[in-house]
Amino acid sequence: MAGFYRSTYNNPDGTQGLLAVSQMEPTDARRAFPCFDEPSLKAEFTVTLVADKKLTCLSNMDVASESEVKDGKKAVTFNKSPLMSTYLVAFVVGELNYIETNDFRVPVRVYAPPGQDIEHGRFSLDLAAKTLAFYEKVFGIDFPLPKMDQIAIPDFAQGAMENWGLVTYRVVDLLLDEKVSGATTKERVAEVVQHELAHQWFGNLVTMDWWDGLWLNEGFATWASWYSCNIFYPEWKVWETYVTDNLQRALALDSLRSSHPIEVPVKRADEINQIFDAISYSKGSCVLRMISTYLGEDVFLEGVRRYLKKHAYGNTQTGDLWAALGDASGKSVEEVMDVWTKHVGYPVVTVTEKDEKTIQVKQNRFLRTGDVKPEEDKVIFPVFLGLRSKDGIDESLTLDKREDSFEVPSTEFFKLNANHTGLYRTSYTPERLEKLGEAAKKGLLSVEDRAGMIADAGALASSGYQKTSGVLNLLKGFDSEKEFIVWSEIISRVAAVQAAWIFEDKAVRDGLEAFQRELVSPRAHQMGWEFSESDGHIEQQFKAMLFGSAGLCGDEKIIAAAKEMFKKFIAGDKSAIHPNIRGSVFSIALKYGGKEEYDAVLNFYRTSTNSDERNTALRCLGRANSPELIKRTLDLLFSGEIKDQDIYMPTAGLRSHPEGIEALFTWMTENWDELVKRFPPQLSMLGTLVSIFTSSFTKKEQLAKVEKFFEGKSTNGFEMSLAQSLDAIRSKVAWVERDGEDVAKWVKDNKYSA
Ligand code: BES
Ligand code: ZN
């Protein structure tokens, strides 16, 4: 799935179809044609493709001419492209269907191979036309190409790729059958489309001058997709989701010693591939959200327009963006932002109270393993305090030294990092945290504040700043919470404790499961699991999440309901399971079932023609935890029945139980040579796989086992993922050692276990 490669699909008549497609980013254009393959060496491309007459040929530009060449083939020549980087060049040749809209200045199309209902491209097609018009306005520059194509590719390593004028997608990230897919899938499709279209400006028109500036592409496209999604679908409230999604992803990865600065030196292809990670995407976008809040959104966008205009068809470094934002705002942006992109990590801000009107704040480097050494805690970050008080939000306060005191209107009520637009964790005293819990109940905090505060508390417990029992008490106190996103963070944080405790005594694990049940079951029963046309987008996701969470921690009523639905579904009534809860019903059926359920889900995978349905089946299979069924799931990986692009899917369910986690690692050690052969280190997937096969471990012995296996082996292409997995295991080892007794006692004291 790199360079100019073949992709296969099933024709409606059962024969196999072939597609020739390309994926050049970051350094595979050189596999397709000789070139100076670096982002700053831009060129104009005139592409000619020679192919069978009946096939469709696509490239970045529109067709200039077609002529017949020997053997009855045709030569299709495309118009000359503007000045562009090699990694954005694209070719596609195959039998293709398309739909088109003229709602935008230039024609917009969605293409798909036969066997896909092209009408499923309608949502992405319309959204693309609207989004292009919107970006032209916001970015102040017209889309410069004569057409915009988007195409579904059956074999694709990434989610999508922003080739200028010809964006390539995984089938599930472009085509949407609203009868078959739920609310979460729809939101994902919108995100991917709006992300790739943002690149048409950020990345394609203005390009980083080297890969160490990758965040300028990926961080910005991530920020822009959220920004535009919020405009088109305000009722989805995606900026609330952002706090539990990108912000937590950034803070999670960047809490590891083996994280890296946003701007990190990279040379070899196998190094470049590894920085397409949560630092470039999520932390990058968080840095933009932070500066946008600090400057105000209008000023921020004015700076963005100046940046794009000044550097159109050129290349930039991070400083160029800060300069344009400084220019637009009259503020020294570079001074405050440089530290965030040049240094690894972020601070934890500890707050204490001096008197009724003064707080003392202190920053220190935050590490999840809780073992910061003095030499790792030298950088002072400019921390935007975002003080929320009875008078509203004060965005002007900045902590730019180690420690300082600040006046607040009253310590009766205050919270830092209003809406969690800052990149840090806040550590409050237990008494203050309790007061904030009460403030949450009184409606004094935003959804972002509540979710972010829970996330901070959870992360601080896992690294030893607080007792885990304290966080469990805090979560328990949120039982009257009404918002989806806050619940989503509560459930994630309980899950994080459970994941770290997964190899501990059954009594404690059962106790945690009982706690989870007490938290989610009443609300799950109250909201129910019926879906109707009138349910809002968030309400659908909320019901689905509670149903799945309660069912998988043993809620008898929901298990019975799921089994009932599953039975009808397998008997042929496809409407028995709503798409929003398909994954949960399958998972519950497999967790509390046996071979019969397993065969049914596998059969569903084999017979469904919809990629979203097939993916659900694959992701759930691993939930079955008998030795025989674990083996069958693992045997699937190299069976030829699963495309390489989907190899990680069956591992998802296996990671939910101790037997699966052990079996995954063993399988990896036994199949290592074959894995490396199929997923060469210079391409991007091996790192993801190594992390999947190792990072769920929690014990010292397991850590040693992983280290021993890789001892003496080349780790090129995945050294970052491996180091991060090892750090993640270390942090869990330390957490359980530190708070094992604390949690056991809490579970007992609260009567969750005998
Ligand atoms: N430029 C990337 C695709 C890419 C990733 C190329 C890694 C080479 C290596 C593209 O814009 C992208 O970011 N795609 C994301 C989807 C997006 C919505 C976050 C993906 O592939 O998951
Ligand atoms: Zn991207």
Side-chain angles (χ1 to χ4, degrees):
M1 294 176 281
F4 197 28
Y5 67 93
R6 280 180 306 175
S7 174
T8 59
Y9 58 89
N10 294 327
N11 279 310
D13 68 3
T15 59
Q16 197 183 62
L18 264 184
L19 212 59
V21 305
S22 67
Q23 167 58 37
M24 311 304 197
E25 190 181 19
T27 58
D28 289 322
R30 65 193 68 169
R31 287 172 184 262
F33 56 91
C35 55
F36 296 101
D37 196 10
E38 299 189 7
S40 67
L41 303 174
K42 291 193 175 186
E44 297 164 332
F45 291 86
T46 306
V47 173
T48 299
L49 296 172
V50 176
D52 284 354
K53 271 194 188 141
K54 63 172 204 294
L55 301 178
T56 303
C57 297
L58 299 172
S59 186
N60 306 83
M61 298 295 290
D62 53 347
V63 174
S65 64
E66 238 185 79
S67 61
E68 202 177 311
V69 292
K70 63 178 174 35
D71 304 333
K73 292 201 191 311
K74 63 178 176 183
V76 181
T77 299
F78 298 87
N79 280 311
K80 186 166 80 178
S81 80
L83 210 52
M84 61 185 271
S85 305
T86 45
Y87 80 87
L88 292 166
V89 172
F91 319 127
V92 177
V93 180
E95 205 181 310
L96 293 164
N97 300 316
Y98 72 86
I99 47 176
E100 181 179 81
T101 172
N102 292 305
D103 284 353
F104 179 57
R105 241 179 356 86
V106 299
V108 178
R109 289 182 179 177
V110 165
Y111 283 89
Q116 297 290 344
D117 180 350
I118 192 67
E119 272 307 313
H120 295 159
R122 189 64 64 182
F123 172 73
S124 295
L125 181 74
D126 293 340
L127 181 61
K130 283 191 285 188
T131 303
L132 286 166
F134 176 71
Y135 285 157
E136 285 196 337
K137 215 169 65 208
V138 183
F139 298 151
I141 299 181
D142 278 359
F143 176 69
L145 302 193
K147 58 96 179 172
M148 181 72 230
D149 293 331
Q150 309 188 90
I151 179 166
I153 309 286
D155 299 82
F156 201 72
Q158 272 72 41
M161 175 64 212
E162 69 265 26
N163 316 298
W164 218 356
L166 177 53
V167 179
T168 42
Y169 293 83
R170 241 177 216 245
V171 173
V172 277
D173 286 326
L174 180 67
L175 305 182
L176 177 74
D177 181 351
E178 298 213 39
K179 290 192 298 300
V180 165
S181 295
T184 306
T185 307
K186 184 172 180 174
E187 197 169 317
R188 162 77 185 171
V189 171
E191 179 196 350
V192 183
V193 168
Q194 297 192 302
H195 175 107
E196 304 311 332
L197 294 181
H199 276 312
Q200 307 301 304
W201 284 261
F202 260 85
N204 302 7
L205 183 65
V206 179
T207 314
M208 70 261 152
D209 75 351
W210 180 246
W211 297 104
D212 56 5
L214 178 66
W215 87 278
L216 287 170
N217 271 14
E218 299 304 348
F220 198 90
T222 302
W223 180 86
S225 72
W226 248 265
Y227 176 72
S228 55
C229 192
N230 184 53
I231 303 284
F232 290 125
Y233 303 100
E235 70 282 11
W236 293 2
K237 300 188 178 162
V238 291
W239 283 121
E240 291 180 0
T241 314
Y242 188 94
V243 171
T244 60
D245 185 306
N246 281 301
L247 177 63
Q248 299 314 317
R249 270 194 243 181
L251 294 172
L253 178 51
D254 214 17
S255 68
L256 300 178
R257 181 168 276 119
S258 46
S259 178
H260 63 85
I262 287 182
E263 294 184 83
V264 62
V266 278
K267 291 195 186 72
R268 295 192 316 265
D270 64 65
E271 293 172 337
I272 299 167
N273 261 310
Q274 294 190 63
I275 61 169
F276 286 83
D277 64 0
I279 297 301
S280 300
Y281 284 74
S282 298
K283 190 181 182 187
S285 71
C286 286
V287 161
L288 294 169
R289 178 166 166 264
M290 185 158 76
I291 190 68
S292 161
T293 308
Y294 179 66
L295 301 177
E297 202 166 88
D298 292 342
V299 176
F300 173 72
L301 287 172
E302 174 55 29
V304 166
R305 282 188 287 273
R306 290 187 195 194
Y307 167 83
L308 288 171
K309 190 163 271 161
K310 181 159 179 200
H311 302 286
Y313 303 101
N315 294 83
T316 54
Q317 295 182 343
T318 297
D320 295 316
L321 178 62
W322 302 148
L325 294 175
D327 201 33
S329 64
K331 291 187 179 158
S332 11
V333 174
E334 179 145 17
E335 209 170 287
V336 287
M337 296 314 287
D338 231 17
V339 180
W340 292 103
T341 60
K342 292 210 159 42
H343 294 278
V344 65
Y346 60 87
V348 48
V349 171
T350 308
V351 195
T352 48
E353 289 149 48
K354 281 170 103 174
D355 54 52
E356 287 92 83
K357 280 189 169 304
T358 326
I359 56 170
Q360 181 78 13
V361 288
K362 181 173 186 208
Q363 60 166 301
N364 291 97
R365 170 83 182 279
F366 179 76
L367 280 186
R368 202 192 306 176
T369 33
D371 55 353
V372 182
K373 300 180 189 113
E375 65 270 24
E376 291 170 319
D377 188 16
K378 290 246 161 75
V379 178
I380 299 294
F381 291 87
V383 178
F384 302 142
L385 289 179
L387 175 72
R388 189 189 283 284
S389 71
K390 63 181 176 48
D391 300 341
I393 303 173
D394 183 351
E395 299 282 8
S396 74
L397 306 178
T398 310
L399 171 68
D400 49 14
K401 35 173 107 67
R402 172 73 65 192
E403 194 169 2
D404 208 349
S405 56
F406 293 85
E407 290 275 302
V408 297
S410 157
T411 49
E412 193 53 40
F413 168 63
F414 75 91
K415 180 184 168 296
L416 295 190
N417 205 3
N419 297 325
H420 289 252
T421 51
L423 251 172
Y424 57 94
R425 301 278 188 201
T426 310
S427 173
Y428 299 101
T429 60
E431 300 76 46
R432 176 53 51 184
L433 204 56
E434 205 181 313
K435 283 191 190 153
L436 282 170
E438 286 157 24
K441 284 201 177 116
K442 287 191 215 141
L444 295 170
L445 300 176
S446 67
V447 171
E448 289 90 331
D449 279 330
R450 270 133 59 205
M453 184 178 112
I454 288 167
D456 281 2
L460 290 168
S462 69
S463 53
Y465 280 82
Q466 279 167 20
K467 281 275 147 215
T468 306
S469 55
V471 174
L472 294 171
N473 283 333
L474 177 77
L475 299 179
K476 210 173 156 163
F478 267 84
D479 52 356
S480 60
E481 173 61 50
K482 296 210 160 36
E483 292 288 335
F484 166 58
I485 280 303
V486 184
W487 272 104
S488 144
E489 193 57 43
I490 292 171
I491 291 172
S492 301
R493 291 298 158 180
V494 177
V497 179
Q498 288 168 321
W501 262 256
I502 197 164
F503 288 99
E504 302 310 304
D505 286 350
K506 188 162 180 321
V508 179
R509 286 197 289 142
D510 286 350
L512 288 169
E513 212 173 84
F515 169 53
Q516 185 186 350
R517 230 164 25 238
E518 183 187 276
L519 268 180
V520 296
S521 280
R523 191 158 295 270
H525 294 166
Q526 183 203 334
M527 289 195 78
W529 39 91
E530 298 279 333
F531 297 87
S532 84
E533 293 281 306
S534 63
D535 285 347
H537 180 81
I538 293 181
E539 197 180 350
Q540 293 184 50
Q541 290 175 298
F542 200 177
K543 282 185 194 172
M545 178 182 73
L546 291 171
F547 176 85
S549 175
L552 289 167
C553 66
D555 181 301
E556 292 297 343
K557 197 169 157 195
I558 288 180
I559 294 173
K563 285 189 166 170
E564 184 68 29
M565 287 184 236
F566 188 75
K567 218 164 94 193
K568 286 191 191 149
F569 183 83
I570 292 310
D573 176 8
K574 283 203 61 175
S575 70
I577 304 178
H578 192 278
N580 282 327
I581 51 172
R582 187 172 52 225
S584 298
V585 172
F586 285 6
S587 295
I588 293 167
L590 288 161
K591 178 169 178 177
Y592 304 105
K595 186 170 171 305
E596 197 183 326
E597 287 78 8
Y598 191 91
D599 287 334
V601 174
L602 186 58
N603 183 53
F604 178 67
Y605 169 73
R606 289 179 171 154
T607 51
S608 167
T609 53
N610 177 279
S611 308
D612 187 37
E613 286 185 338
R614 287 163 58 84
N615 287 354
T616 310
L618 279 190
R619 286 202 189 96
C620 295
L621 275 177
R623 289 272 178 181
N625 68 352
S626 74
E628 185 214 336
L629 296 178
I630 289 177
K631 182 171 180 319
R632 284 181 62 189
T633 302
L634 288 167
D635 285 346
L636 270 177
L637 300 185
F638 283 165
S639 64
E641 217 183 316
I642 296 178
K643 282 179 177 282
D644 279 352
Q645 67 160 16
D646 297 326
I647 184 128
Y648 58 88
M649 288 196 190
T651 63
L654 290 171
R655 298 175 76 188
S656 69
H657 45 81
E659 301 82 4
I661 294 169
E662 287 283 6
L664 271 170
F665 179 73
T666 307
W667 186 89
M668 183 196 79
T669 60
E670 288 166 355
N671 292 276
W672 182 251
D673 293 340
E674 177 65 17
L675 262 176
V676 175
K677 210 164 109 199
R678 283 185 190 231
F679 302 98
Q682 63 273 26
L683 302 184
S684 62
M685 280 176 78
L686 192 58
T688 313
L689 292 171
V690 166
S691 154
I692 287 173
F693 286 121
T694 59
S695 66
S696 296
F697 278 149
T698 68
K699 312 289 280 182
K700 249 195 186 122
E701 316 80 80
Q702 296 169 330
L703 176 70
K705 211 157 70 169
V706 179
E707 285 175 320
K708 180 142 186 290
F709 177 74
F710 286 107
E711 215 174 65
K713 287 196 175 56
S714 162
T715 57
N716 275 0
F718 63 89
E719 63 270 29
M720 246 185 204
S721 294
L722 177 61
Q724 289 160 357
S725 290
L726 293 172
D727 273 349
I729 302 171
R730 283 184 194 111
S731 87
K732 287 181 276 184
V733 171
W735 187 9
V736 177
E737 262 176 17
R738 203 185 316 112
D739 279 355
E741 274 174 31
D742 176 57
V743 170
K745 181 170 182 307
W746 184 87
V747 162
K748 214 171 196 168
D749 288 353
N750 285 274
K751 314 233 173 333
Y752 293 122
S753 69

